[in-house]
Amino acid sequence: SLLAYRGATNAIVLALPRGGVPVGVEVAQSLGLPAQPELAMGAIASGGALVLNEDVLRFADRREAALEQVRRREQVELERRERQFRGARPPLQMAGRTGILVDDGLATGATMEVAVRALRDLGAARIVVAVPVASPEARNRIAAVADEVVCLEVPANFSAVGQWYQDFGQTSDEE
């Protein structure tokens, strides 16, 4: 349970953009922890972390060219988000800390896996993934790389994260 981290001085909530930010804010407030709202064909993260979804890429024409084009475009977006949300603050220091990674749900788990790997590279002592809903496959994928997974629902009939929300509108930068 996430309640074990309530008020922990070495823990921080990290929300995956964009959909994880509203969920991450609620988790951080409930636990009395600081929140950091920055931290598919695959996923990239700060520091060069990369995870590919081979099941999707198997069907891509001109795989390497398509992958490089998407990677370049997403790198530009990652850098834009870091500038916008981090500003002049230095990169997050995770050495010896517990990172609680939050998202609105896990479909494939690729984005969350890259976030877990990025936190490992930053020296996090413990990584907890917290999501309201996940596909069974994604939950298993993340359980293999995170120290702990807290997931409220793992429905057998999972087809998309949005099916479990009444309002699954896009989260804007302003939000």
Side-chain angles (χ1 to χ4, degrees):
S1 164
L2 290 177
L3 293 177
Y5 300 98
R6 181 176 278 154
T9 58
N10 71 334
I12 185 169
V13 174
L14 300 126
L16 274 63
R18 298 187 183 195
V21 173
V23 180
V25 167
E26 294 297 324
V27 169
Q29 288 176 349
S30 296
L31 299 177
L33 296 176
Q36 184 72 29
E38 53 182 275
L39 202 203
M41 192 180 268
I44 62 172
S46 300
L50 169 70
V51 171
L52 302 177
N53 187 339
E54 292 296 338
D55 292 336
V56 172
L57 289 172
R58 182 177 316 130
F59 299 102
D61 291 336
R62 299 181 55 231
R63 171 190 161 124
E64 296 305 319
L67 178 61
E68 182 57 24
Q69 180 181 10
V70 170
R71 190 202 60 75
R72 270 186 268 144
R73 184 179 68 236
E74 293 302 318
Q75 184 66 39
V76 168
E77 176 62 10
L78 175 63
E79 291 168 3
R80 182 194 70 79
R81 286 181 180 176
E82 285 184 340
R83 281 190 308 274
Q84 180 172 358
F85 297 120
R86 183 183 298 150
R89 291 175 303 195
L92 187 62
Q93 299 299 309
M94 285 303 301
R97 297 180 82 179
T98 296
I100 301 174
L101 287 167
V102 179
D103 204 354
D104 52 7
L106 302 174
T108 67
T111 302
M112 186 59 76
E113 183 180 345
V114 79
V116 169
R117 291 181 189 278
L119 279 189
R120 289 247 185 263
D121 289 347
L122 290 173
R126 182 167 180 75
I127 300 172
V128 179
V129 170
V131 294
V133 64
S135 70
E137 298 80 14
R139 199 253 178 243
N140 292 340
R141 177 180 189 167
I142 297 309
V145 296
D147 298 307
E148 182 180 352
V149 178
V150 177
C151 182
L152 302 178
E153 297 286 334
V154 185
N157 62 344
F158 184 98
S159 63
V161 172
Q163 87 184 87
W164 303 98
Y165 285 83
Q166 287 181 342
D167 178 3
F168 197 63
Q170 189 71 269
T171 304
S172 69
D173 284 349
E174 291 74 28
E175 289 176 281

